[in-house]
Structures are given as structure tokens and as C-alpha cells.
Amino acid sequence: ITNVTGTGKGGRVMKEGILSFIQNGFKNVSAAAATPAPTASCAAAAATHAAPSAPAAGDRVEPIRGLKRTMVKTMTAANAIPHFGYNDEYVFDNLMALRTQAKALAEAQGVKLSYMPFFIKACSLALSKYPLLNSSVNAECTEIHYKSSHNIGIAMDTPAGLLVPNIKNCERRSILEIAAELNRLQSPGAQGKLGADDLTGGTFTVSNVGAIGGTYAKPILF
């Protein structure tokens, strides 16, 4: 790897550089030589693509206000945070059997028990074992702030847009207590009437795409 010319920030060796090194017979190719000059047709196509098109009949412009404007700002700011994705699959036969047994107990307490409370509690147990995942850094990236409370957020698709209320202190709650709090949040969430206390103070977030289907998803930090 010492023979590969670093083209990344600070001279870091990038994946593309290694692949180019191999493809060129283990020889470095300068960025200028590796990148062909744009042809006239390409330049014309780029200019055409960049030019604003005339409004078509039926087009309209809608200002971004309120919660949607806040979402745009926070999700844009999240681009400054490194993201990573990890996918895996698990056999949930035992969990399905446990939920079936626990549903009667939950219903006796007036609680609807889905799979989500199990996932939330599992995340809390993992955060206890790996506290770095329940931390944040300051703006200067000179300090790590470890959070003792597991305030786990649940992404909700509401009439007002994407909201992420959180269940406070999951490390102290049982699965049924988490389920009860989740039930409480879902009703005002569906109406877009969640309070400020429910929407602030989160330390970790769980997203569930089961309602819309699919196998894997990569959420954006919010």
C-alpha cells in the first residue's frame, strides 16, 4: 500500500486509488491523466442539464415552513456526522413465542404489546454494555459526553412529517413499561400533537420500516 499515491484528504490512500493502481499494472496514474478532459458534447449536456427549465402547466411552488423547515435544517446538519450501515438477520422464533405468551398479561394491564418494546429494551441492554454508542461529542470534537440515561427515540411518520419522540430512561423500565409509554406516544404522534418534552433529550433512535415493507434500510441521522 506504500506504493499507492494517496489522493484523499491529507494524502490518505483511498479505495479508488488502490483499484486504479491494480488496473494499471501496479503503477500510479496521476489524477490529471486518469481523468479525461470533458468533450464538447459532455460540456454542452452539462450546461443543458444545469439550465433551469421553464415552468410547465400545473407546476407550483410551496414555501417550506414550520416543522418541515426544521426537518430540512436538522437533516442537512446531520450530513456533517459520519454515517455507517450494518445489516444482519436473526431467527425470531423464540421472541415470537414470548410475545404471544406476554400479550395476555399486557392486555390485562391495558397495554398493546408489539415487537418494538422488545427491540427497544434490547438496544438499552446493548447501550449498557457499549456506552460509547450512547454518547456524543462537543462541537470542537475535544470531549466525549457519555449519557447515563437511555432515552431511546422512535421515528414516527406523522401528518406533520417525520417526528422522533423518545422514551425516557429505558434502562430502568421493564418491557411492559416501555410498551405502555410507546402506546402513550403513538396517539398524539398520529395527530401531530407531541409535546416538547417527548421530542427532546433523545440519546439513541430506533427506526422501524416494517409498516412499509422492505428488508434493509439506512436511516439518516435526525
Side-chain angles (χ1 to χ4, degrees):
I1 196 170
T2 57
N3 295 325
V4 181
T5 301
T7 58
K9 184 177 180 181
R12 295 173 63 184
V13 176
M14 309 301 289
K15 176 182 176 182
E16 294 79 5
I18 295 174
L19 294 176
S20 176
F21 182 74
I22 295 171
Q23 292 170 358
N24 288 282
F26 298 94
K27 295 179 181 179
N28 285 300
V29 179
S30 66
T35 305
T39 62
S41 59
C42 289
T48 302
H49 179 73
S53 58
D59 287 0
R60 62 191 179 91
V61 177
E62 181 179 292
I64 302 175
R65 298 192 180 100
L67 182 61
K68 289 184 178 179
R69 185 173 179 82
T70 302
M71 288 171 58
V72 170
K73 289 182 178 180
T74 56
M75 296 185 79
T76 300
N79 288 330
I81 303 173
H83 287 60
F84 75 95
Y86 175 78
N87 301 323
D88 210 339
E89 296 183 1
Y90 296 89
V91 177
F92 272 44
D93 294 355
N94 292 338
L95 176 58
M96 294 171 66
L98 176 61
R99 174 176 172 265
T100 300
Q101 295 174 5
K103 280 183 68 176
L105 176 62
E107 290 172 356
Q109 300 180 30
V111 176
K112 180 181 178 181
L113 183 62
S114 64
Y115 288 109
M116 183 60 80
F118 293 93
F119 300 153
I120 293 172
K121 188 62 181 180
C123 286
S124 180
L125 294 173
L127 295 177
S128 295
K129 188 173 182 179
Y130 303 101
L132 184 62
L133 295 176
N134 198 51
S135 67
S136 62
V137 297
N138 61 348
E140 297 76 21
C141 291
T142 57
E143 299 175 340
I144 299 176
H145 298 177
Y146 291 88
K147 311 296 176 63
S148 59
S149 298
H150 300 170
N151 300 340
I152 298 182
I154 310 95
M156 291 185 177
D157 185 14
T158 75
L162 179 66
L163 296 179
V164 188
N166 62 84
I167 299 175
K168 303 290 194 294
N169 304 311
C170 291
E171 77 282 1
R172 304 179 196 169
R173 296 178 185 264
S174 67
I175 289 175
L176 287 184
E177 289 172 337
I178 291 173
E181 184 67 1
L182 182 60
N183 290 176
R184 183 189 70 78
L185 292 172
Q186 286 172 333
S187 178
Q191 302 173 35
K193 297 181 179 180
L194 289 162
D197 184 60
D198 293 325
L199 295 169
T200 56
T203 64
F204 193 86
T205 301
V206 176
S207 294
N208 182 4
V209 297
I212 60 175
T215 305
Y216 299 118
K218 186 178 180 182
I220 298 174
L221 295 179
F222 180 71

